Amino acid sequence: MFDLDELIEAYRVSDRGRARVRANFIASLDGAATVGGLSGGLNDPWDLQVFTVLRRLADVVLVGAGTLRAEGYGGLRVGAADVAWRREHGLSDHPRLAIATRSARLDPASDLFAGAPAPPLVYAPTPPTDESDDGTGERLEALAGVAEVITLPGEVLDVHAMLAHLAAAGHPQVLCEGGPHLFGSLIDADAVDELCLTLAPVLAGGTAPRISATVAESTRAMRLVHALPGGPMLFLRYERETQP
């Protein structure tokens, strides 16, 4: 396995006060983001070590509601060693969980909320107030008892407003763990500062999604920071070519 101190240094951010969106994904050699519908079909202990370090370094972990449901997320907590490191570096014990959703189809009684060390942040577009509301408003009201619900103006989630709210709330270091539609919306908004991509040494075939699903095709230049071999995996870290 990696030397932990060297791994932390490899993913360290020089200026934690500057808002930054880092995405972390895994993909097969032929571009599949999942096997059997889950990203867990691709990872291994080496990838888990990097995944854990990225959470250790984050202020907040941002995840789409669909990914939370599919991957079976529980309350977001890091291990005792991570807590100790975070305290030593002036961070909260655990990164906060932020959820991006359109329909608010989440169970308020689930461990996702009950097991969270702090109420998750739930971001959603303002639900309609007429007959076109499919119950989203009521579901958001139910979540307000177990989470901090932030509704943003517009029919789709305003990514820039969400990131500005996170930064103002003291969470400038954002780690996005998926899924493809949320990552795609961040790309569409030109809000991705960094991509950490694990290449798994398999050819998956099939029709699995890519790591992103965007509205429009647009090329954004990225700069390779490192390419770390770890066991059978390759860990790539890219930053945007020009910082905003």
Side-chain angles (χ1 to χ4, degrees):
M1 301 294 286
F2 290 112
D3 176 87
L4 184 56
D5 290 335
E6 292 179 359
L7 191 61
I8 291 172
E9 181 61 25
Y11 285 98
R12 184 180 64 85
V13 173
S14 58
D15 184 0
R16 292 193 59 88
R18 182 178 182 178
R20 184 182 187 87
V21 176
R22 166 186 272 171
N24 182 37
F25 285 89
I26 189 169
S28 68
L29 295 177
D30 55 342
T34 60
V35 171
L38 299 174
S39 62
L42 292 167
N43 62 24
D44 73 352
W46 291 85
D47 181 61
L48 180 59
Q49 188 183 22
V50 172
F51 177 88
T52 301
V53 162
L54 293 180
R55 282 192 169 184
R56 175 185 285 203
L57 295 170
D59 293 324
V60 62
V61 176
L62 174 64
V63 190
T67 295
L68 289 171
R69 292 190 296 266
E71 300 284 351
Y73 274 61
L76 181 61
R77 293 176 177 272
V78 296
D82 300 301
V83 170
W85 187 93
R86 289 173 64 86
R87 287 178 179 175
E88 182 181 346
H89 289 80
L91 305 178
S92 61
D93 284 3
H94 305 273
R96 194 124 181 228
L97 175 64
I99 303 167
T101 183
R102 285 179 294 178
S103 64
R105 297 185 187 279
L106 296 163
D107 181 3
S110 72
D111 187 59
L112 176 68
F113 300 102
L121 297 156
V122 175
Y123 291 93
T126 301
T129 56
D130 55 21
E131 63 277 1
S132 62
D133 185 2
D134 62 355
T136 299
E138 291 183 359
R139 290 191 292 272
L140 286 172
E141 288 181 8
L143 290 174
V146 294
E148 183 179 341
V149 175
I150 302 96
T151 54
L152 302 172
E155 296 182 359
V156 296
L157 188 64
D158 186 331
V159 168
H160 290 295
M162 174 180 66
L163 295 176
H165 185 276
L166 284 169
H171 309 308
Q173 299 301 311
V174 179
L175 174 63
C176 175
E177 292 183 353
H181 291 285
L182 174 58
F183 186 38
S185 69
L186 292 168
I187 293 173
D188 285 333
D190 196 23
V192 178
D193 298 298
E194 180 177 334
L195 171 62
C196 299
L197 178 64
T198 302
L199 285 182
V202 297
L203 297 171
T207 58
R210 294 165 49 188
I211 64 172
S212 69
T214 61
V215 173
E217 181 178 298
S218 178
T219 300
R220 293 167 176 82
M222 303 292 284
R223 177 181 67 87
L224 179 65
V225 178
H226 70 224
L228 298 177
M233 301 286 198
L234 181 63
F235 298 91
L236 304 173
R237 181 186 179 191
Y238 287 91
E239 290 181 337
R240 66 163 68 230
E241 184 63 38
T242 304
Q243 294 294 321

